[in-house]
Amino acid sequence: MSVTTTPSSTKTSAVILPPGREWPMEGRIVPMEVLVLGLCRTGTLSITMALKQLGYNDVYHMREVFTRNDADLWVAALEAKYEGKGAEWGREEWDRLLGDCMAVTDIPAAMFVPELLAAYPDAKVVLTTRSVDSWVNSMMHTVYALWSSPWRRMAARLNSKAATMRRLADKYNEHLWWNDFPRYGRRCFTEHNDLVRRLVPSDRLLEYEVREGWVPLCEFLDKDVPATVSFPRVNDTKSFRDSADRSTMNLYRGVAWRTGKVLLPVLAIGGAIWWRAGLRALLDRR
């Protein structure tokens, strides 16, 4: 198991990385300016696109976990925080994971509120939120439905990358709402938002619903309101489910294609042997 140590005198144990895993980068190359610490399904993808439009590059959203292949690192960070496996991450580790990002949004980043606030004390903080009832309803039909689907669980066994993403999903379901979202989801949402409010000074915090559009966000970030670009509104429940269905089907298609490439030659050879044996038996009878 790979380990990395930090020079900080406050850390007495090693940060544990997955076997053979290296950090994506050596350290921070752009300033971390915005921490969007609202939970998933609070408009996090919409605000990700909005921040990019305002000039923040890059912005780290859950989708980057997949595209950058970082799920195993987030699993390690969650295990350190919640399960005591190695030292918890500090500024050095976050910089080596997020060093090219000027902003973060969505989970798993939002699960590290105190840690990211300590690492980036000068960053502005946005708490994306919505009514708790609408959030629970959205989660039940998207994130929780996807996680609890037996088809999706089975699909995760068919692909190593999907399996790692599934392991990450299992971690946040365990540590956010104790594997029982219908029972504990509402409590998780309330306690998470209260934690952000308690830790972030009011002059550094914007509580924000994406339906409010550009004006409050731009005022808070000292940015000009885009004159010709509408505020992005993406990843509603239907879009989420359609995307999840496509990715699941792609996993199954990929497995079918790989299986077919192996089985077809085998079947062809077997068929040829069977045909030749049958032909010989027929000739022998004659």
Side-chain angles (χ1 to χ4, degrees):
M1 182 170 286
S2 301
V3 300
T4 180
T5 58
T6 71
S8 172
S9 61
T10 62
K11 292 192 175 184
T12 58
S13 60
V15 169
I16 299 176
L17 294 183
R21 191 64 154 93
E22 299 295 333
W23 289 106
M25 59 196 63
E26 291 299 317
R28 180 148 298 281
I29 58 177
V30 295
M32 179 67 78
E33 297 190 17
V34 184
L35 304 173
V36 180
L37 298 179
L39 291 174
C40 50
R41 306 307 300 164
T42 59
T44 55
L45 186 56
S46 293
I47 197 171
T48 295
M49 297 178 67
L51 290 172
K52 289 181 178 180
Q53 182 65 37
L54 294 174
Y56 296 96
N57 292 307
D58 279 330
V59 182
Y60 198 106
H61 178 270
M62 168 60 93
R63 292 193 176 190
E64 276 61 52
V65 178
F66 185 82
T67 58
R68 295 183 181 215
N69 202 27
D70 286 342
D72 57 344
L73 291 173
W74 286 103
V75 168
L78 289 168
E79 288 180 341
K81 174 172 180 170
Y82 291 99
E83 301 171 25
K85 296 182 180 180
E88 293 189 27
W89 288 24
R91 171 68 182 260
E92 180 181 349
E93 289 74 39
W94 294 120
D95 280 353
R96 297 179 80 175
L97 176 62
L98 306 169
D100 61 338
C101 299
M102 299 178 74
V104 296
T105 71
D106 203 21
I107 61 172
M111 296 178 69
F112 295 90
V113 173
E115 294 83 359
L116 291 176
L117 291 175
Y120 305 112
D122 297 325
K124 293 187 175 182
V125 181
V126 179
L127 175 60
T128 47
T129 189
R130 61 193 294 182
S131 75
V132 63
D133 290 334
S134 69
W135 181 76
V136 169
N137 182 63
S138 176
M139 286 288 294
M140 288 295 294
H141 289 91
T142 54
V143 175
Y144 181 73
L146 185 65
W147 178 77
S148 58
S149 164
W151 291 105
R152 189 72 180 186
R153 186 179 296 272
M154 186 181 302
R157 299 177 181 177
L158 305 177
N159 176 283
S160 60
K161 189 173 183 179
T164 307
M165 288 296 293
R166 177 69 197 195
R167 189 173 173 220
L168 174 59
D170 286 345
K171 290 293 182 184
Y172 66 68
N173 274 275
E174 176 185 359
H175 295 303
L176 281 175
W177 41 77
W178 304 283
N179 290 325
D180 190 348
F181 182 83
R183 183 175 182 182
Y184 295 113
R186 187 179 298 268
R187 172 180 166 185
C188 165
F189 184 78
T190 300
E191 291 184 351
H192 177 87
N193 288 356
D194 285 346
L195 174 67
V196 176
R197 295 180 184 114
R198 187 169 67 252
L199 294 181
V200 183
S202 59
D203 61 347
R204 187 182 162 199
L205 174 66
L206 172 68
E207 286 197 45
Y208 177 71
E209 296 189 29
V210 292
R211 62 183 176 84
E212 297 177 79
W214 285 119
V215 173
L217 182 64
C218 291
E219 289 179 351
F220 178 69
L221 299 175
D222 295 322
K223 298 286 186 178
D224 293 331
V225 175
T228 60
V229 180
S230 299
F231 189 89
R233 302 186 187 281
V234 296
N235 206 31
D236 60 14
T237 296
K238 183 179 185 304
S239 298
F240 182 103
R241 293 177 68 93
D242 288 347
S243 176
D245 288 345
R246 285 194 300 271
S247 66
T248 302
M249 289 304 300
N250 286 338
L251 282 173
Y252 281 111
R253 288 193 189 102
V255 171
W257 171 247
R258 292 192 298 272
T259 303
K261 288 198 296 184
V262 173
L263 287 182
L264 283 176
V266 173
L267 292 173
I269 294 170
I273 294 172
W274 175 83
W275 180 83
R276 185 177 181 184
L279 178 60
R280 282 183 176 176
L282 179 62
L283 293 174
D284 289 343
R285 286 197 295 270
R286 291 181 178 180

